[in-house]
Amino acid sequence: MRLRQQLYGVSVTPFAFVDGALDRADHLRDDPAALAEAWPQAGIIALDASGCALLDADGALRQFSGAELPAGPDEHIFLGLRDGRAWFAADAAHVPAARTDSLDLRRAAAAWPAWQATLFAQARALQHWHQRYRYCPACGGTLQFVRAGWLARCAGCASEHYPRTDQAIIAAITDGTRLLLGRQANWPARRWSVVAGFVEPGETLEQTIAREVMEETGVRVHTQTARYLASQPWPFPGALMLGFIAHAEPDAPHASEELEDARWFSADEVRAGLARDWREADGDGEAEGIVLSSPISIARYVIQMWLDEHQSARNGQ
């Protein structure tokens, strides 16, 4: 298996936003004295209003310390612990940064050490929740963030609200010999990927796979064949991608409102697509051959898993 577990639950994965995850240290969210004690030596990641992280003079993550910031831990979001050091997320407007250079999460995931990209992803998801969740959905009252930024409590009705994560499936659909891929109209001309979609209320994950694939391509999935592979936090802005492989009828795919095109591809075509640099799709649209998803995405992982299993089956393993 390409996804393997090390000690202490730390994953070694071929996609972003998993490796090096912090110890969330939930018990410290209700311990302001402990957070205040950790604050001077704490690490701080600062995000601007658009969700980009501030960089240092070398173009790397700008790591502030709590001692550099004018406000204490109560004004920032506690993210967790790494090797005993507390980490917080701060608003870039509240840090003494001499430089204004910043980097978005997608590019950071492709360039930074894994733990820094994972830290950034956690900070970005929480920042987005804080930015969008200002008023109580029950009574319209003003929300106040407590528990080190992890709980929003209404000043009017005292109802409590937690960070939102939207579950979505992403599936390698096969008819036994081919892989189903689709492309959106706004993608570069040669870019293709697997089908994905959000889980609706009252659905199982298997039902979501069948519904999304049918809606987007017209292909009928056998829900009993759906097999879970792995998951990935996808903070664009706040999803959890759940990766599957499933078998389907060899129906002729068709375009839809979601996809401008959908097709079956052979193992040789998929193998060639994986071998190409994923950035080729942003270049010459007249070149031949498909280009597949970025390595930061679980989409590429589920494609590779299908290809590996297909090849093993052909080899009789």
Side-chain angles (χ1 to χ4, degrees):
M1 293 288 287
R2 291 175 176 266
L3 184 71
R4 58 194 186 276
Q5 294 295 318
Q6 292 185 332
L7 295 178
Y8 312 114
V10 178
S11 301
V12 178
T13 65
F15 45 83
F17 313 135
V18 177
D19 292 344
L22 299 181
D23 171 1
R24 301 297 179 101
D26 177 82
H27 63 286
L28 293 180
R29 297 172 188 172
D30 287 317
D31 193 341
L35 294 180
E37 182 179 357
W39 177 250
Q41 289 77 42
I44 314 294
I45 179 172
L47 307 185
D48 65 21
S50 68
C52 293
L54 298 192
L55 303 177
D56 64 18
D58 297 320
L61 171 65
R62 174 71 161 95
Q63 301 181 36
F64 297 88
S65 69
E68 296 179 74
L69 273 60
D74 292 346
E75 302 298 317
H76 307 288
I77 302 171
F78 173 61
L79 299 176
L81 304 175
R82 174 177 167 80
D83 297 330
R85 186 188 191 192
W87 278 87
F88 292 79
D91 187 327
H94 300 154
V95 300
R99 296 174 60 88
T100 57
D101 291 348
S102 61
L103 190 67
D104 67 83
L105 182 53
R106 289 180 188 271
R107 289 188 293 163
W112 287 2
W115 76 268
Q116 292 184 0
T118 299
L119 174 80
F120 187 178
Q122 182 187 355
R124 175 58 184 136
L126 283 163
Q127 178 202 45
H128 184 271
W129 179 58
H130 278 233
Q131 288 174 332
R132 300 296 191 273
Y133 223 72
R134 300 296 183 88
Y135 300 99
C136 176
C139 74
T142 302
L143 293 176
Q144 300 173 338
F145 292 101
V146 297
R147 294 203 77 234
W150 288 85
L151 174 65
R153 183 174 291 133
C154 178
C157 68
S159 61
E160 297 183 341
H161 309 275
Y162 294 86
R164 173 174 172 170
T165 298
D166 297 315
Q167 294 78 35
I169 59 88
I170 184 162
I173 304 300
T174 180
D175 66 354
T177 60
R178 300 173 297 175
L179 182 68
L180 180 65
L181 299 175
R183 54 169 285 101
Q184 296 181 13
N186 61 340
W187 287 357
R190 298 165 61 205
R191 176 69 53 78
W192 293 77
S193 190
V194 288
V195 174
F198 288 104
V199 181
E200 292 189 348
E203 273 189 327
T204 67
L205 299 176
E206 294 82 0
Q207 289 168 346
T208 302
I209 294 168
R211 176 183 56 78
E212 285 288 346
V213 173
M214 173 57 71
E215 289 175 356
E216 296 186 13
T217 71
V219 171
R220 295 167 293 167
V221 170
H222 302 298
T223 56
Q224 71 274 16
T225 68
R227 178 163 48 86
Y228 173 76
L229 295 176
S231 63
Q232 180 187 33
W234 193 245
F236 302 104
L240 177 65
M241 305 302 296
L242 304 163
F244 287 83
I245 283 180
H247 287 258
E249 291 293 319
D251 299 322
H254 60 66
S256 63
E257 290 185 5
E258 295 288 333
L259 300 177
E260 74 164 10
D261 198 1
R263 302 180 197 170
W264 293 107
F265 288 86
S266 70
D268 287 343
E269 290 173 307
V270 172
R271 186 178 298 105
L274 289 170
R276 295 186 184 97
D277 188 323
W278 61 276
R279 289 163 292 197
E280 281 189 32
D282 298 320
D284 183 6
E286 299 301 319
E288 295 184 357
I290 63 173
V291 178
L292 298 172
S293 307
S294 162
I296 75 167
S297 170
I298 193 175
R300 193 178 186 90
Y301 171 75
V302 299
I303 293 170
Q304 183 69 63
M305 287 296 294
W306 171 78
L307 184 61
D308 289 350
E309 293 189 6
H310 175 78
Q311 188 62 48
S312 293
R314 287 191 62 184
N315 294 340
Q317 298 177 0

